[in-house]
Amino acid sequence: DSLTSFLTSHVSKIINKFTIYQNNVRGFNNYDYFCEWKALINLLPFSVDIIVLSEVKLKPTVNLGIYQLKGYALHACLRNSKTSKGGLLVYVRETLDHQVESSSTTFETATISLIINSCKLHIIACYRPPDPSNLNEFLLAIEDSIFKCRQNILLVGDINIDKNASTRESQKYLS
């Protein structure tokens, strides 16, 4: 129908102008795996503006220089623990004026704020391991981030909550 074709056309134009790629990579502590991922991302038939990688499993002491991507500013939010767990790597195309605020506890969040087509956009990237003991803390942190941003918010990442399940966990998240 005409509404569907209008929306498809309009969404297509927006997508062609701004793209976000998110992936739970389950560990770049093996550098060879990062190199394989990098080769695959270079095969994409379109350019990506924001790349969010979760569960990178890198220690805060890692040399981030080896994880740079040409044409991107790299922001890392890594968990400060004896073992390499969780973590986010956020890549933002260098041509985009942006700010990033991040925090790491038993989960990671990074809020990327930028202006796209005269519109301020906030992307809240997160990784939360499947640990029920940190759910309330995580939900409060996300709620606080949403409150600070107020509008034009995209939530991306791996939160390890099945929103389609009829559990207390999913109901808390959806509310």
Side-chain angles (χ1 to χ4, degrees), residues 101 103 109 111 124 136-150 153:
E101 288 183 34
S103 70
T109 61
T111 302
I124 302 171
N136 288 331
E137 180 186 359
F138 172 76
L139 293 175
L140 287 172
I142 294 300
E143 188 175 339
D144 185 51
S145 294
I146 290 170
F147 179 77
K148 285 179 184 173
C149 297
R150 299 190 192 265
I153 302 165

CSV table of all heavy atoms in Angstrom, one decimal, residues 101 103 109 111 124 136-150 153:
chain,number,residue,atom,x,y,z
A,101,GLU,N,30.0,9.5,27.0
A,101,GLU,CA,30.1,9.3,28.5
A,101,GLU,C,30.0,7.8,28.7
A,101,GLU,O,29.1,7.2,28.2
A,101,GLU,CB,29.0,10.1,29.2
A,101,GLU,CG,29.2,11.6,29.2
A,101,GLU,CD,28.1,12.2,30.1
A,101,GLU,OE1,27.6,11.6,31.1
A,101,GLU,OE2,27.7,13.3,29.7
A,103,SER,N,30.6,4.3,31.6
A,103,SER,CA,30.8,3.8,33.0
A,103,SER,C,30.8,2.3,33.0
A,103,SER,O,30.2,1.7,32.1
A,103,SER,CB,29.8,4.3,34.0
A,103,SER,OG,28.5,3.7,33.7
A,109,THR,N,28.1,0.8,30.2
A,109,THR,CA,27.2,1.7,29.4
A,109,THR,C,28.0,2.8,28.8
A,109,THR,O,29.0,3.3,29.4
A,109,THR,CB,26.0,2.3,30.2
A,109,THR,OG1,26.5,3.1,31.2
A,109,THR,CG2,25.1,1.2,30.7
A,111,THR,N,27.1,6.4,26.5
A,111,THR,CA,26.2,7.2,25.8
A,111,THR,C,26.9,8.1,24.8
A,111,THR,O,27.8,8.9,25.1
A,111,THR,CB,25.4,8.1,26.8
A,111,THR,OG1,24.7,7.3,27.7
A,111,THR,CG2,24.3,9.0,26.0
A,124,ILE,N,22.6,5.0,23.4
A,124,ILE,CA,23.0,4.4,24.7
A,124,ILE,C,23.4,2.9,24.4
A,124,ILE,O,22.6,2.1,24.0
A,124,ILE,CB,21.9,4.4,25.8
A,124,ILE,CG1,21.5,5.8,26.0
A,124,ILE,CG2,22.4,3.7,27.0
A,124,ILE,CD1,20.2,6.0,26.9
A,136,ASN,N,18.7,-4.7,38.9
A,136,ASN,CA,18.2,-3.4,39.4
A,136,ASN,C,19.2,-2.3,39.2
A,136,ASN,O,18.8,-1.2,38.8
A,136,ASN,CB,17.8,-3.5,40.9
A,136,ASN,CG,16.5,-4.4,41.1
A,136,ASN,OD1,15.7,-4.4,40.2
A,136,ASN,ND2,16.4,-5.0,42.2
A,137,GLU,N,20.4,-2.5,39.5
A,137,GLU,CA,21.5,-1.5,39.3
A,137,GLU,C,21.5,-1.1,37.8
A,137,GLU,O,21.6,0.1,37.4
A,137,GLU,CB,22.8,-2.0,39.7
A,137,GLU,CG,23.9,-1.0,39.6
A,137,GLU,CD,25.3,-1.6,39.9
A,137,GLU,OE1,25.4,-2.8,40.3
A,137,GLU,OE2,26.3,-0.9,39.7
A,138,PHE,N,21.4,-2.1,36.9
A,138,PHE,CA,21.5,-1.8,35.5
A,138,PHE,C,20.3,-1.0,35.0
A,138,PHE,O,20.4,0.0,34.3
A,138,PHE,CB,21.5,-3.2,34.7
A,138,PHE,CG,21.3,-3.0,33.2
A,138,PHE,CD1,22.4,-2.6,32.4
A,138,PHE,CD2,20.1,-3.3,32.6
A,138,PHE,CE1,22.2,-2.4,31.1
A,138,PHE,CE2,20.0,-3.1,31.2
A,138,PHE,CZ,21.0,-2.7,30.5
A,139,LEU,N,19.1,-1.4,35.5
A,139,LEU,CA,17.9,-0.7,35.1
A,139,LEU,C,17.9,0.8,35.6
A,139,LEU,O,17.5,1.7,34.9
A,139,LEU,CB,16.6,-1.4,35.6
A,139,LEU,CG,16.3,-2.8,34.9
A,139,LEU,CD1,15.2,-3.5,35.6
A,139,LEU,CD2,16.2,-2.6,33.4
A,140,LEU,N,18.4,1.0,36.8
A,140,LEU,CA,18.5,2.3,37.3
A,140,LEU,C,19.5,3.2,36.5
A,140,LEU,O,19.3,4.3,36.2
A,140,LEU,CB,18.9,2.3,38.8
A,140,LEU,CG,17.9,1.9,39.8
A,140,LEU,CD1,18.5,1.7,41.2
A,140,LEU,CD2,16.7,2.9,39.8
A,141,ALA,N,20.6,2.5,36.1
A,141,ALA,CA,21.6,3.3,35.2
A,141,ALA,C,21.0,3.6,33.9
A,141,ALA,O,21.2,4.7,33.4
A,141,ALA,CB,22.8,2.4,35.1
A,142,ILE,N,20.3,2.7,33.3
A,142,ILE,CA,19.7,3.0,31.9
A,142,ILE,C,18.6,4.1,32.1
A,142,ILE,O,18.5,5.0,31.3
A,142,ILE,CB,19.1,1.7,31.3
A,142,ILE,CG1,20.2,0.7,31.0
A,142,ILE,CG2,18.2,2.0,30.1
A,142,ILE,CD1,21.2,1.2,30.0
A,143,GLU,N,17.8,4.0,33.1
A,143,GLU,CA,16.7,5.0,33.4
A,143,GLU,C,17.4,6.3,33.6
A,143,GLU,O,16.9,7.3,33.0
A,143,GLU,CB,15.9,4.6,34.6
A,143,GLU,CG,14.7,5.4,34.8
A,143,GLU,CD,13.8,4.9,36.0
A,143,GLU,OE1,13.9,3.8,36.3
A,143,GLU,OE2,13.1,5.8,36.5
A,144,ASP,N,18.5,6.4,34.3
A,144,ASP,CA,19.2,7.7,34.5
A,144,ASP,C,19.7,8.2,33.2
A,144,ASP,O,19.6,9.4,32.9
A,144,ASP,CB,20.3,7.5,35.5
A,144,ASP,CG,21.0,8.8,35.9
A,144,ASP,OD1,20.3,9.7,36.3
A,144,ASP,OD2,22.3,8.8,35.8
A,145,SER,N,20.3,7.3,32.4
A,145,SER,CA,20.8,7.8,31.0
A,145,SER,C,19.7,8.3,30.2
A,145,SER,O,19.8,9.3,29.5
A,145,SER,CB,21.5,6.6,30.3
A,145,SER,OG,22.6,6.2,31.0
A,146,ILE,N,18.6,7.6,30.2
A,146,ILE,CA,17.4,8.1,29.4
A,146,ILE,C,16.9,9.4,29.9
A,146,ILE,O,16.6,10.3,29.1
A,146,ILE,CB,16.3,7.0,29.4
A,146,ILE,CG1,16.7,5.8,28.6
A,146,ILE,CG2,15.0,7.6,28.9
A,146,ILE,CD1,15.8,4.6,28.8
A,147,PHE,N,16.8,9.6,31.2
A,147,PHE,CA,16.4,10.8,31.8
A,147,PHE,C,17.3,12.0,31.4
A,147,PHE,O,16.8,13.1,31.0
A,147,PHE,CB,16.3,10.7,33.3
A,147,PHE,CG,15.8,12.0,34.0
A,147,PHE,CD1,14.5,12.4,33.9
A,147,PHE,CD2,16.8,12.8,34.6
A,147,PHE,CE1,14.1,13.6,34.5
A,147,PHE,CE2,16.3,14.0,35.2
A,147,PHE,CZ,15.0,14.4,35.1
A,148,LYS,N,18.6,11.8,31.4
A,148,LYS,CA,19.6,12.8,31.0
A,148,LYS,C,19.4,13.2,29.6
A,148,LYS,O,19.6,14.4,29.2
A,148,LYS,CB,21.0,12.3,31.3
A,148,LYS,CG,21.4,12.3,32.8
A,148,LYS,CD,22.8,11.8,32.9
A,148,LYS,CE,23.2,11.7,34.4
A,148,LYS,NZ,24.5,11.1,34.6
A,149,CYS,N,19.2,12.2,28.7
A,149,CYS,CA,19.1,12.5,27.3
A,149,CYS,C,17.8,13.1,26.9
A,149,CYS,O,17.7,13.9,26.0
A,149,CYS,CB,19.3,11.2,26.5
A,149,CYS,SG,21.0,10.5,26.7
A,150,ARG,N,16.7,12.6,27.5
A,150,ARG,CA,15.3,13.1,27.4
A,150,ARG,C,14.6,12.7,26.1
A,150,ARG,O,13.5,12.3,26.1
A,150,ARG,CB,15.2,14.6,27.5
A,150,ARG,CG,15.7,15.0,28.9
A,150,ARG,CD,15.3,16.5,29.2
A,150,ARG,NE,16.0,16.9,30.4
A,150,ARG,CZ,15.4,16.9,31.6
A,150,ARG,NH1,14.2,16.6,31.7
A,150,ARG,NH2,16.1,17.4,32.6
A,153,ILE,N,16.5,8.9,21.5
A,153,ILE,CA,17.4,7.9,22.1
A,153,ILE,C,17.3,6.6,21.4
A,153,ILE,O,16.2,6.1,21.1
A,153,ILE,CB,17.0,7.7,23.6
A,153,ILE,CG1,17.1,9.0,24.3
A,153,ILE,CG2,17.9,6.7,24.3
A,153,ILE,CD1,16.4,9.0,25.7
